[in-house]
Amino acid sequence: VQLQASGGGLVQAGGSLRLSCVTNERTFKIYSMGWFRQAPGTTREFLSVRSYRDGRTWYGDSVKGRFTISRDSAKNTMYLQMNSLKAEDTAVYYCAASPYYSYSDLTSTRKYDYWGQGTQVTVSS
């Protein structure tokens, strides 16, 4: 299973970026797809996920109200729209696929089987 993340870059504080994650049709249908990030010297942080079972979405507290997860089934692509970016959002962002569907599982990196290569997001203050 291959996940290809893109869309990172350099943006000023208060700006927006949209990340994309492309995979194959089978993965897109039977896996929950999520986003994490990791800044230097920190652990990987849960950002958002969409459950494959019922389409429910969840967000981490640090991004709730600013980030939005969505998908385009025709393109087998998941997105993360990031608005009102802050300097502390600077990190490498990863998309990932999990066979689980409940919130308690989907916030843990250990419950994801596949990971994209990561895309760097840098927010200048």
Side-chain angles (χ1 to χ4, degrees):
V1 173
Q2 201 168 19
L3 304 175
Q4 184 71 33
S6 63
L10 174 64
V11 63
Q12 288 188 331
S16 299
L17 279 175
R18 189 179 76 162
L19 305 183
S20 301
C21 180
V22 182
T23 187
N24 59 54
E25 183 177 2
R26 179 177 181 275
T27 301
F28 202 71
K29 285 183 176 179
I30 68 172
Y31 283 83
S32 296
M33 301 287 289
W35 290 97
F36 290 76
R37 69 185 178 191
Q38 189 167 17
T42 69
T43 58
R44 202 161 289 192
E45 178 190 7
F46 167 75
L47 299 179
S48 184
V49 66
R50 182 186 184 279
S51 171
Y52 77 85
R53 191 178 193 191
D54 54 13
R56 291 184 68 182
T57 58
W58 295 283
Y59 296 89
D61 289 341
S62 64
V63 303
K64 203 172 294 183
R66 298 189 298 126
F67 291 11
T68 303
I69 193 170
S70 64
R71 59 185 243 156
D72 185 334
S73 298
K75 296 180 179 179
N76 299 326
T77 301
M78 176 179 66
Y79 302 102
L80 185 68
Q81 178 66 43
M82 308 186 296
N83 298 329
S84 302
L85 285 162
K86 308 173 183 178
E88 50 263 45
D89 293 319
T90 296
V92 177
Y93 284 66
Y94 298 91
C95 60
S98 170
Y100 295 87
Y101 55 82
S102 65
Y103 172 77
S104 59
D105 289 318
L106 292 173
T107 58
S108 171
T109 58
R110 293 172 298 175
K111 298 301 177 69
Y112 287 78
D113 290 351
Y114 305 106
W115 292 84
Q117 83 285 9
T119 183
Q120 175 71 45
V121 172
T122 303
V123 184
S124 62
S125 56

